[in-house]
Amino acid sequence: MPKGYWVSVYRTIADPEKLAAYNTLARVAVEAGGGRTIVRGGRVEAHDAGIAERTVLVEFDSFEQAVAVRESAAYQEALAALSDGVERDFRIVEGTD
């Protein structure tokens, strides 16, 4: 079964405090849902229309699991804390088998 991934690329970070609150809550939600953070921040080399900002990659055992965690009450609480603190491109993608 193909794995599922959350891919987040932050365009701007307007409120680092909201991002910090989100990170605390999101980590709990992701770990409870079986997710594993593979990339969080670090060095970025952007090409084409890419943005060299904070990038986060989270792996789940399946695409369905990735979607379920995104929809969970715990993650919705994290999103409420984040609010308008950032502008980001968030995707859930299915890996190859």
Side-chain angles (χ1 to χ4, degrees), residues 5 12 15-17 24 26 28 33 38 40-42 46 51 54 58 64 74:
Y5 296 89
T12 60
D15 190 330
E17 290 179 9
T24 299
V28 171
I38 297 172
R40 181 178 31 245
I51 298 169
R54 177 181 175 84
V58 180
E64 291 75 18

Side-chain angles (χ1 to χ4, degrees), residues 16-97:
E17 290 179 9
K18 287 183 178 181
L19 178 58
Y22 162 82
N23 285 339
T24 299
L25 295 168
R27 183 176 298 118
V28 171
V30 165
E31 289 175 358
R36 296 165 299 283
T37 301
I38 297 172
V39 174
R40 181 178 31 245
R43 297 189 309 170
V44 175
E45 186 175 319
H47 297 277
D48 301 325
I51 298 169
E53 264 297 346
R54 177 181 175 84
T55 301
V56 178
L57 177 64
V58 180
E59 179 182 64
F60 293 88
D61 289 335
S62 71
F63 181 81
E64 291 75 18
Q65 182 182 14
V67 170
V69 173
R70 170 65 173 76
E71 295 173 354
S72 72
Y75 189 71
Q76 294 305 306
E77 181 181 356
L79 286 177
L82 182 60
S83 180
D84 60 352
V86 302
E87 179 187 356
R88 69 181 180 160
D89 180 348
F90 180 93
R91 298 165 190 252
I92 301 175
V93 298
E94 185 176 55
T96 59
D97 206 9

